[in-house]
Amino acid sequence: MPAAIEQATKVLKENNFKITKQRRAMIEFLVGTATHKFVEVTSIDDFMRKTFPNMSHNTIYRNISEFANLGIVERQVQGDRASVKFQCDFQHEHHHHFICSNCGKVIELKDCPLSPEITSQLTGCEVTGHLFQIYGLCPQCVNLMNN
């Protein structure tokens, strides 16, 4: 079993979730398609409904939501489009991304931009989370655009 699938199933088990054939199929799909880029939730829904025709949309979306809450996937919403990406690093969940606007490739950023200069402006506030993403073109897409 690939390490990524093993890590995800371990997280599910540790949180008292059963490893059903549907959950395993969803994890395998995510590992195969959403490791280095965000994938629209509708494409996950399409795959799951083709693989398990009697599976409801609600069950699929509930599982995606549970995966996000457990840190198995990372969520992103742009306008009315929701997408997810398989977790980059289960040991260091807090990280940020560069996302190529052309091909969708995701590059993990090691540093966090949330600085003391920013948090010092939030006197009396309790920060419970934040998102930081940079959009642009990856080197391959820059080369394609310039040729």
Side-chain angles (χ1 to χ4, degrees):
M1 173 181 339
I5 295 170
E6 192 173 311
Q7 287 177 310
T9 55
K10 180 181 176 194
V11 170
L12 286 169
K13 287 177 186 176
E14 288 172 348
N15 288 277
N16 301 313
F17 284 88
K18 291 181 181 175
I19 309 302
T20 63
K21 60 185 174 190
Q22 292 87 350
R23 284 190 180 124
R24 180 174 294 283
M26 187 179 289
I27 290 168
E28 289 172 357
F29 177 80
L30 290 165
V31 168
T33 61
T35 300
H36 300 291
K37 67 178 187 172
F38 282 87
V39 173
E40 288 193 33
V41 170
T42 54
S43 66
I44 299 167
D45 183 67
D46 290 345
F47 167 78
M48 293 301 292
R49 300 269 299 157
K50 286 177 187 162
T51 308
F52 303 98
N54 295 327
M55 194 170 188
S56 73
H57 296 290
N58 287 344
T59 300
I60 295 165
Y61 287 87
R62 186 182 70 251
N63 275 286
I64 292 169
S65 181
E66 289 167 345
F67 285 8
N69 291 337
L70 295 172
I72 294 171
V73 297
E74 302 171 50
R75 275 192 269 213
Q76 167 180 275
V77 178
Q78 289 183 313
D80 62 346
R81 296 173 51 199
S83 55
V84 297
K85 188 180 99 33
F86 191 75
Q87 176 60 262
C88 297
D89 184 350
F90 283 92
Q91 272 61 53
H92 305 97
E93 288 184 24
H94 181 83
H95 61 273
H96 303 285
H97 301 117
F98 169 87
I99 303 169
C100 181
S101 302
N102 185 53
C103 70
K105 179 180 181 178
V106 175
I107 299 171
E108 182 179 343
L109 305 175
K110 301 292 182 203
D111 295 322
C112 178
L114 188 60
S115 66
E117 292 80 17
I118 293 173
T119 56
S120 69
Q121 298 173 49
L122 303 171
T123 306
C125 298
E126 181 180 332
V127 176
T128 59
H130 66 278
L131 295 174
F132 180 77
Q133 298 180 103
I134 299 173
Y135 297 92
L137 298 174
C138 69
Q140 292 82 7
C141 290
V142 168
N143 287 335
L144 285 174
M145 301 281 185
N146 290 332
N147 290 328

